[in-house]
Amino acid sequence: MKSKFEELKKTFEATLADLKDGVDLEEIKNKFLGRKGHLALLMKEMAELADDERKEIGKFANVIKSGMEAGFAKAEAARRVSQVFEGEWLDVTEPIFPAEGRGHLHPITQITEELEDLFASMGFMVLDGPELESDFYNFTALNIPPTHPARDMQDSFYIKGHPDQVMRTQTSPVQVRAMQKYGAPIRVIVPGRCFRNEATDARHEHTFYQLEGLMVDKDINLGHMKGVLEEVAKHLFGPAAKTRLRPKFYPFVEPGMRGEVTCFLCQGQGCRVCKKTGWLEVLGAGLVHPTVLKEGGVDPEKYQGFAFGFGLSRLAMLKYAIDDARLMQGGDERFLKQF
Ligand code: DAH
């Protein structure tokens, strides 16, 4: 008789252990512990036992019964916990903010990343440089010695008590830093923030972005420079964009030039944006001056190179038809939301 009870308890426990999600717990309870359930039927069989035996088995049966009831209570609690968790299920991969509340990249960052990808595809690496730069790298190493009148072209912010430090006026100093660090041959671009003491207006801002480029190798010529400019122009302004290079003085290149693209608005016909010329100036460029190569530790007898500096803020203004440079750093959401 005892073994029958034990057997029943085992079957009951196995049933609970193997519980499938959809199974009704009450049904199982009735089947085993209900008034007409397995346990009740087994207990009825005890009536045929002799008094002594019935007493002993009765005690045993009660222990089995409370064991089974405890087992059931446990299963019931587990089911309740899993139901609570199911109700509170949380997808941790879900975006935290609703889509319309999320920010996006600034137009300058967008254009920077686009150009980084383009130049990376041409084998250029992307470098950073310090925004608080030494007077030496910002000017002297770029063939602009302390007394050179070219310093007047870029009025700068200096740091009180540190006459040899300047908020960099251009990304060009990273040309020399890059050559000193990586030597030649080298292909590098440097997008970054620059500063000038400007009286600000729609075309001038004291804080702006440039994208510097430098390629040094054997047998580099201006054709390579033109090729790069054309790639960038077509990438940004479409396959119909034309480019031209015209002479311009920069102390750190020889010869130096300005790069222009056909006006995106009038396609070269002449309009307000291009001041009726049909062309827009987008970069300064040239063949790297031997003095600059030497400052970078590169032998100008063995290597040549070209360098260029895009006005990134200006490119972004052209690409997105933004007519006031001051909007770029203004932080006005009504402006930023348009990109
Ligand atoms: N740094 C110059 C500027 O801010 C732009 C420039 C001109 C960069 C010629 C160059 C270059 O690398 O070769 O006006």
Side-chain angles (χ1 to χ4, degrees), residues 6-268:
E6 268 166 351
E7 195 85 345
L8 181 64
K9 185 166 176 253
K10 261 190 204 148
T11 319
F12 182 60
E13 279 166 354
T15 309
L16 291 180
D18 196 30
L19 214 54
K20 301 276 179 315
D21 270 354
V23 176
D24 186 0
L25 274 182
E26 280 308 304
E27 227 169 76
I28 292 178
K29 188 179 181 182
N30 279 337
K31 195 165 149 197
F32 284 89
L33 299 168
R35 273 199 298 136
K36 289 180 184 165
H38 296 312
L39 185 66
L41 291 179
L42 209 52
M43 282 185 157
K44 262 191 195 154
E45 285 179 25
M46 291 193 309
E48 282 146 36
L49 295 175
D51 279 357
D52 287 357
E53 218 179 344
R54 196 170 59 236
K55 240 186 191 166
E56 192 200 329
I57 299 286
K59 264 188 199 157
F60 186 76
N62 280 331
V63 173
I64 289 285
K65 188 180 174 195
S66 48
M68 285 172 77
E69 280 169 351
F72 180 79
K74 221 164 138 187
E76 211 175 25
R79 169 72 62 96
R80 225 177 296 125
V81 168
S82 81
Q83 273 168 353
V84 167
F85 276 129
E86 226 159 78
E88 292 181 355
W89 186 78
L90 186 71
D91 180 359
V92 291
T93 65
E94 226 179 72
I96 301 171
F97 305 111
E100 69 271 20
R102 239 190 304 163
H104 64 78
L105 296 178
H106 190 282
I108 294 210
T109 312
Q110 291 180 31
I111 207 163
T112 304
E113 293 192 346
E114 229 176 274
L115 289 175
E116 283 177 3
D117 284 349
L118 178 69
F119 277 101
S121 77
M122 295 192 276
F124 284 71
M125 61 178 168
V126 181
L127 284 189
D128 257 344
E131 292 180 347
L132 180 58
E133 183 55 282
S134 71
D135 180 277
F136 173 76
Y137 281 108
N138 197 75
F139 295 120
T140 311
L142 293 170
N143 200 26
I144 317 175
T147 53
H148 198 286
R151 290 209 173 194
D152 292 346
M153 290 160 57
Q154 303 180 354
D155 193 6
S156 325
F157 294 115
Y158 288 89
I159 306 299
K160 241 188 198 160
H162 298 272
D164 54 338
Q165 301 273 290
V166 54
M167 294 303 286
R168 69 174 175 195
T169 56
Q170 47 191 352
T171 41
S172 306
V174 191
Q175 285 186 28
V176 177
R177 289 184 175 278
M179 283 189 284
Q180 287 177 342
K181 184 159 184 192
Y182 297 101
I186 188 171
R187 284 182 222 185
V188 57
I189 58 161
V190 186
R193 197 156 56 148
C194 306
F195 312 84
R196 285 188 204 175
N197 185 11
E198 299 274 5
T200 60
D201 61 28
R203 290 166 57 89
H204 298 93
E205 189 40 306
H206 51 68
T207 302
F208 57 96
Y209 288 77
Q210 290 190 340
L211 185 132
E212 192 77 15
L214 173 73
M215 177 165 180
V216 175
D217 208 330
K218 292 182 169 147
D219 304 321
I220 294 292
N221 60 54
L222 273 184
H224 299 115
M225 174 66 239
K226 179 101 202 271
V228 166
L229 173 60
E230 258 170 30
E231 276 300 316
V232 173
K234 289 191 163 45
H235 184 77
L236 290 181
F237 302 113
K242 290 197 178 58
T243 60
R244 70 177 184 184
L245 296 170
R246 298 210 294 163
K248 184 170 180 182
F249 171 72
Y250 291 101
F252 30 91
V253 279
E254 182 60 41
M257 58 212 60
R258 57 200 267 178
E260 303 181 340
V261 293
T262 39
C263 177
F264 67 96
L265 197 67
C266 62
Q267 315 299 337

